Amino acid sequence: MITIKDIAKKVGVAPSTVSRVLANKADFYTAETVAKVKTAARELGYKKNQSAADLVKQHSNVIAAVVSSVKTNFAGEIIEEIQKKAAEYGYKLIVVYSHSADPVEQKSALMTVIERPVMGVLLLSMALSDDNLKLLEEAQTSFCFLSMGFDDDRPFISSDDLAIGYQATKYLIDKGHRRIGFAGLDRYPNTGRLRLAGYQKALAEIGVTPEDHWVQSGDYSYESGLRAMQQYGAKTDLTGVVAASDMVAIGVLNQAHLFKLSVPDDLSVIGIDGTEMCEIVQPQLTSISQDFYKMGVAGVERLRQLDLKQQVVKNKQEFVPTKLIERGSVTYAAE
C-alpha cells in the first residue's frame, strides 16, 4: 500500500507536508509544492487512510531540540533548562544532534524530527542551509533558533554576538592592550561573523587594524585554541587574546603554559560563554557570560505561546543580556 512516506520520498519533502497538503491544509505551501504532492499522489495511486489523516490532527506534547555538535560545552546548559521547563508544563523532550555546517546531516536531523508529531522545534546554534530552512518552514511546525541570531526575519533567542565581540575586545583595550588576537571562531556563519565585526569595531575606535595572523579561525573547540596559540607562537607579539569560547580559551591557556608564557602576566585571555569550565582551570577565566538558562526557558515559553495560540509573539527576535565576569586570566598590559 502506498503511504504518505512514499509520496514524500518521491517529491523530496517531509511526510508531514504531504499529510497537510492532502488534507487541504496547504495555505503556507507554494503552489509548486502543492502541485508536486498531488501529482505524485495520483501517479502512485495513493488512497487516503484515516491514520495518516489523524497524524495531522494529533496534538503533540513533544518538544524537539536539534543541537549543533560543535565541540564546545554551551549546549548542555541550554538543554538542561529546556528539560526542566518542559517538565513543568508536562512536555516531553527529544534531542537530536547534527553537524552544524553539513546540509546532508542537517536534513537527516530535521527529518528525524518533523516526520513525527512534535509541538515545536528549538534549534541550538544551528546555521541551516537555505534548503533545510525551507524544509522546516514547509513542515508548518513552530520553531525558534537559540544561541544564534540572524539578519533576516527568522525567529531567535540569542545573545547579541556583535556586542559580545565588541565588549570582550573593549575590556582588553581598557586594560591597556592594543595587540589583541581573536582565536578559534568560525568566521562565516552569523555567530562568528558578528563577533569578528565587534572585535574589529572596538579596535577601529582606537585606530588599530588587526594584522592577518591575529585572527585564527577554528570551530570553537579546545583543539582550535591549541592551534591558534601554536600559530601565535612562544614569542608572540600579542598581549591579549579574545577566545571564541571557553574551550578555545582553555586551549590557548594550556598551549601558552607549554610555551612557558604566564597567563595573565605575559598574555591576557578572555573567553566567551561563561560556563562552569571557567572556574575549574588555573587561572580561572575572565569571560563574557551568556545566560544559556534564560535562553532555554524563553525557548520553551515561545513554543508554548504558539501552541496555545496566545497573542502573536511580538518580538520574534529576542536578545538575552550578557555579563562580564572578571576572574584571573586578564591583567593590565605591560608598559
Side-chain angles (χ1 to χ4, degrees):
M1 183 178 69
I2 299 299
T3 68
I4 60 172
K5 289 187 176 181
D6 297 315
I7 301 172
K9 184 176 181 180
K10 180 178 177 67
V11 178
V13 298
S16 55
T17 299
V18 175
S19 293
R20 293 182 177 94
V21 169
L22 296 182
N24 296 317
K25 297 182 177 181
D27 292 347
F28 293 94
Y29 298 106
T30 65
E32 181 183 10
T33 296
V34 172
K36 285 182 178 179
V37 168
K38 291 185 175 181
T39 298
R42 287 195 301 272
E43 291 176 350
L44 293 172
Y46 171 76
K47 301 294 183 183
K48 179 179 179 181
N49 72 54
Q50 193 57 43
S51 63
D54 288 344
L55 180 64
V56 179
K57 299 176 184 177
Q58 181 178 349
H59 182 270
S60 174
N61 71 336
V62 177
I63 290 175
V66 183
V67 185
S68 168
S69 57
V70 293
K71 298 178 181 178
T72 186
N73 62 324
F74 80 94
E77 295 188 6
I78 302 182
I79 293 171
E80 179 182 347
E81 205 60 29
I82 291 172
Q83 177 73 66
K84 287 166 58 178
K85 198 64 183 176
E88 287 182 21
Y89 291 128
Y91 301 148
K92 296 179 181 179
L93 174 68
I94 60 173
V95 181
V96 179
Y97 288 87
S98 170
H99 190 283
S100 180
D102 186 340
V104 175
E105 288 193 26
Q106 286 181 1
K107 183 176 181 179
S108 176
L110 290 177
M111 292 298 291
T112 298
V113 168
I114 62 181
E115 67 185 5
R116 67 190 69 193
V118 293
M119 188 184 82
V121 182
L122 297 174
L123 300 112
L124 279 63
S125 198
M126 290 287 297
L128 291 181
S129 68
D130 291 342
D131 286 345
N132 285 327
L133 178 60
K134 182 179 179 183
L135 175 67
L136 183 59
E137 290 172 338
E138 288 187 343
Q140 284 193 292
T141 299
S142 299
F143 67 92
C144 183
F145 291 86
L146 300 183
S147 193
M148 179 170 282
F150 297 93
D151 300 326
D152 53 27
D153 63 352
R154 274 174 274 190
F156 68 76
I157 301 167
S158 177
S159 303
D160 185 335
D161 287 300
L162 179 68
I164 284 177
Y166 179 86
Q167 185 180 14
T169 310
K170 183 68 163 55
Y171 177 73
L172 291 176
I173 290 170
D174 290 345
K175 294 288 187 180
H177 297 274
R178 295 296 181 269
R179 302 184 70 82
I180 300 169
F182 204 143
L185 85 165
D186 185 342
R187 64 177 79 192
Y188 297 107
N190 270 36
T191 299
R193 179 177 60 80
L194 290 170
R195 290 180 185 176
L196 181 62
Y199 159 83
Q200 293 168 332
K201 177 183 177 183
L203 289 177
E205 288 178 353
I206 59 169
V208 173
T209 301
E211 298 179 21
D212 290 344
H213 74 278
W214 291 9
V215 179
Q216 294 292 326
S217 298
D219 59 2
Y220 303 95
S221 66
Y222 173 77
E223 292 77 13
S224 291
L226 290 176
R227 288 193 297 270
M229 192 64 224
Q230 288 163 1
Q231 291 298 311
Y232 294 145
K235 296 182 179 180
T236 180
D237 57 349
L238 300 176
T239 64
V241 173
V242 176
S245 72
D246 296 340
M247 297 301 289
V248 170
I250 295 170
V252 170
L253 189 154
N254 286 349
Q255 184 60 50
H257 177 73
L258 293 175
F259 282 153
K260 301 190 184 307
L261 295 173
S262 172
V263 174
D265 295 331
D266 297 323
L267 185 71
S268 287
V269 180
I270 181 170
I272 295 173
D273 284 342
T275 64
E276 62 183 7
M277 299 300 294
C278 293
E279 297 183 343
I280 62 176
V281 295
Q282 289 298 323
Q284 292 188 344
L285 287 167
T286 293
S287 66
I288 304 297
S289 295
Q290 302 190 68
D291 196 340
F292 294 122
Y293 293 102
K294 186 170 184 179
M295 289 183 203
V297 169
V300 174
E301 294 286 6
R302 175 77 60 85
L303 294 184
R304 178 174 170 79
Q305 277 188 331
L306 294 170
D307 182 54
L308 295 177
K309 296 181 174 57
Q310 296 178 354
Q311 71 270 19
V312 176
V313 177
K314 293 181 180 179
N315 297 316
K316 288 179 60 178
Q317 301 181 334
E318 177 184 348
F319 284 125
V320 175
T322 58
K323 183 178 181 181
L324 171 65
I325 298 181
E326 296 181 285
R327 298 187 180 92
S329 62
V330 174
T331 191
Y332 287 92
E335 294 294 336

